[in-house]
Amino acid sequence: PRVAEALAQPQTPQPTTSLTEKPLTQKLKEFEIARFTQGTAGPTQLGTERATIKVFFTDRNPVEFQSTLVKSGNSYKFTGEAGGFKLAGSLEDLPAESRGDFTITFTSKNHSARIFYRAYKGKIEVRGDRTQTVVPGSRLEQQMKALKNHAFAWVHNWVVLNGPSVYLVDIVNTGDPKNHANDIPFFTFKGESKRTGAREHNATTVSPDTRTDVRLVGNAEHESRRLFAVQVKERADKPPEEFMLEVEMESPPATRPPPPNEVPVEIAPSTPDARSADFYLKANVGTPRSARMTQDFDKNRELPGVRKYIAEFQRNSRRDLENFYNFANPFRSIIETIGHVLDVSPSFAYLTVVES
């Protein structure tokens, strides 16, 4: 929403650049942030004394900015200069997340870019491949157990206005979920937050262990949720084994403003939602696109041509529907989860019946 607000605001014209020179927005690549509190040896997630922000570029060495955090109302001001650049902005700590709004300026050419930051604690879910047998004591079993037992994620998101969007995920394992003093990130990966759909995007594993590969396979458009495929290489002479890792914001806000160029959708009381028990595949109408699609399905169901084919499936193709219900039953939760991650109504699964 903050990016949408910025896009809607009048923009300051940028100085004209040569045809061969990319704008600063296209030269920004990655970001890292560390916050510190007085009296602590290392960085803390919500440090209030000072902060270090490292900016990576596509055409030069990274630049590190350091600044004391000056409290101003509910936020902290940040101002730093390094390597011919200036970075200024603010950080705000909310109950469920931290947000930042920064402007980086290339001082010699007066080129600038606006950067938005968002971080939150995420809950994780691990799902193994049911077709493969997990060997007791194997590296795959150990890693899946470690992720399931008191593990959570710190998710950092950076968005450059009219530029790239990137994420960094720290998977943290703790033996005591109530005491995070000794939390240790044991698995870290990062990548560009691109549109998925039919595409997957490789992530970069920051952890020293190079036997784990991560791919971004589900990127919810308006949700704080991502789905990753994690491959574990047990031995060089064996193919890697895979499991799915879902990372979702642990405490999402109670309300969420509508996405850009969209209006809130009012759902009729009779519309099926995730709590209904009378529907084979449940659509979560709390997400905007699924809500619109569900309403469209309800309207289109009354069209004469649609009514005709519904009757056809109830008569001549009834066996096809029964087979679908039978064979798809073990995968209902998976279909619903994927639909929720991508904000697509799980009812799309019925297309496989019609087309195949």
Side-chain angles (χ1 to χ4, degrees), residues 174-292:
T174 173
D176 185 355
K178 297 182 180 179
N179 180 13
H180 301 307
N182 299 317
D183 293 347
I184 301 176
F186 72 97
F187 185 36
T188 301
F189 52 92
K190 60 184 179 181
E192 195 164 353
S193 187
K194 295 182 177 180
R195 192 182 293 268
T196 49
R199 298 189 59 187
E200 300 179 356
H201 305 285
N202 291 332
T204 301
T205 303
V206 182
S207 306
D209 192 339
T210 59
R211 293 183 296 166
T212 302
D213 293 328
V214 183
R215 304 188 315 278
L216 174 65
V217 298
N219 202 5
E221 192 170 346
H222 304 308
E223 289 289 318
S224 302
R225 176 186 286 205
R226 291 189 180 94
L227 186 66
F228 300 92
V230 181
Q231 284 191 343
V232 178
K233 301 174 184 176
E234 190 75 37
R235 287 171 23 191
D237 59 339
K238 296 182 63 177
E241 297 175 299
E242 186 174 274
F243 63 88
M244 305 304 293
L245 176 66
E246 186 176 340
V247 180
E248 182 183 12
M249 186 175 180
E250 187 176 74
S251 303
T255 59
R256 180 184 61 232
N261 304 321
E262 293 184 359
V263 297
V265 178
E266 293 185 4
I267 307 300
S270 59
T271 300
D273 63 18
R275 294 163 297 179
S276 302
D278 299 332
F279 296 90
Y280 185 76
L281 289 172
K282 304 176 183 64
N284 187 336
V285 296
T287 53
R289 192 161 53 188
S290 292
R292 295 198 311 273

Side-chain angles (χ1 to χ4, degrees), residues 280-306:
Y280 185 76
L281 289 172
K282 304 176 183 64
N284 187 336
V285 296
T287 53
R289 192 161 53 188
S290 292
R292 295 198 311 273
M293 291 169 62
T294 302
Q295 280 198 327
D296 289 342
F297 288 156
D298 287 343
K299 294 176 183 177
N300 293 335
R301 191 177 290 116
E302 302 307 318
L303 295 174
V306 176

Side-chain angles (χ1 to χ4, degrees), residues 309-324 353-354:
Y309 277 98
I310 289 177
E312 175 69 19
F313 271 91
Q314 288 175 336
R315 292 193 302 266
N316 300 333
S317 301
R318 187 175 186 86
R319 179 60 60 86
D320 293 335
L321 281 177
E322 291 176 349
N323 286 338
F324 172 83
V353 185
V354 178

